């Protein structure tokens, strides 16, 4: 298995619509405004956060349980930025929609700009033949409120191509998050 570079990513986008919308360059500005970078990087792709957020709250004193998820555990926010309370958590999604090839595994890492502010981005691997918007998990590990910007970079995806295709893909086993759109909550 080897990591793939920017030319491979561009080819997969052209041939298989792997990333939509796709930014072929790494963007750092919009006009005169500085951005947290997004787009194609040397060996990956920096994804953007959409403007849909679910911020966890303890107002209703519910228990966070992945088997019986209570929608009262969060507040919906639709805005160009999201404030995550101290020591709290939010869900969001990527602007980009992904179609992962059968011989590719994708690993996601948070951008250092956010990590240096105590904001951790977690995403599980994108398996072969998974498709959808990526649900992003943001943890604010600080004792201060933290800001996340919509339509700017939040994480980097690294693409690993296998020497062979996998025996059973995410699509083959009808994974429960296949084709997800919007911010997707836990399913069992």
């Amino acid at each position: 298995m080897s990591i793939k570079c920017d030319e491979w990513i561009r080819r997969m986008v052209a041939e298989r619509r792997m990333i939509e919308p796709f930014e072929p360059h790494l963007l750092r500005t919009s006009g005169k405004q500085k951005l947290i970078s997004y787009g194609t990087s040397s060996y990956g792709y920096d994804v953007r956060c959409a403007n849909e957020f679910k911020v966890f709250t303890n107002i209703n004193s519910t228990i966070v349980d992945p088997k019986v998820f209570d929608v009262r555990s969060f507040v919906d926010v639709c805005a160009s930025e999201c404030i995550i309370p101290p020591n709290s958590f939010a869900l969001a999604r990527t602007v980009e929609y992904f179609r992962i090839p059968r011989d590719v595994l994708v690993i996601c890492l948070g951008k250092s700009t956010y990590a240096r502010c105590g904001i951790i981005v977690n995403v599980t691997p994108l398996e072969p033949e998974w498709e959808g918007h990526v649900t992003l998990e943001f943890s604010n590990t600080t004792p201060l409120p933290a800001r996340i910007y919509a339509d700017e970079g939040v994480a980097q995806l690294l693409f690993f191509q296998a020497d062979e295709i996998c025996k059973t893909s995410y699509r083959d086993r009808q994974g429960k998050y296949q084709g997800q759109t919007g911010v997707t909550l836990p399913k069992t």
Side-chain angles (χ1 to χ4, degrees), residues 16 100-104 128-129 164-169 172:
R16 302 184 190 185
I100 307 304
R102 190 174 180 102
D103 61 345
V104 173
E129 289 197 314
E164 306 174 357
I165 63 168
C166 64
K167 183 176 180 180
T168 306
S169 73
D172 293 341

Side-chain angles (χ1 to χ4, degrees), residues 74-85:
F74 60 82
V75 174
D76 289 323
V77 175
C78 185
S80 60
E81 56 186 51
C82 177
I83 304 297
I84 303 173

